Amino acid sequence: MFIVIELLRSIIEYFAVHRLKITFITDAALVFVLREIMIGLYEHNLESGMIMALATLILVIGILRTLAVVFSPEKYLEVEGVRHE
């Protein structure tokens, strides 16, 4: 349910600002991957290779989200003194 809410939130944000916020999408992706890990652990069918792949995916998505926050266009607009709302 959280994934659907995040995706709907990003669609609404797109129509309001005319650009996608990568943080909403990465949050939904992180929740989806964590959900798959929990399901696999509960069913006891995760192999070590799959665990390493999912851990790497979480790391990459986390780095992408961090970079999206650090290099946010909104941050640069605030520095320049221009604020689009």
Side-chain angles (χ1 to χ4, degrees):
M1 184 60 119
F2 183 73
I3 296 168
V4 173
I5 291 171
E6 285 295 321
L7 291 176
L8 286 174
R9 202 166 122 191
S10 72
I11 290 170
I12 291 169
E13 183 74 21
Y14 175 76
F15 287 121
V17 184
H18 300 292
R19 69 179 182 88
L20 287 174
K21 283 195 171 185
I22 195 79
T23 54
F24 295 153
I25 297 169
T26 55
D27 288 345
L30 281 171
V31 168
F32 181 76
V33 172
L34 289 172
R35 177 185 166 274
E36 289 300 316
I37 290 173
M38 287 188 289
I39 289 171
L41 289 174
Y42 180 75
E43 292 177 350
H44 302 290
N45 65 355
L46 280 181
E47 298 174 2
S48 60
M50 182 61 102
I51 292 172
M52 290 301 294
L54 291 173
T56 304
L57 183 60
I58 287 175
L59 181 66
V60 169
I61 294 171
I63 290 170
L64 180 66
R65 188 185 192 293
T66 303
L67 290 174
V69 170
V70 170
F71 297 111
S72 173
E74 292 174 355
K75 188 183 228 182
Y76 293 113
L77 290 175
E78 288 175 1
V79 170
E80 293 175 0
V82 178
R83 180 84 175 151
H84 294 286
E85 297 194 29

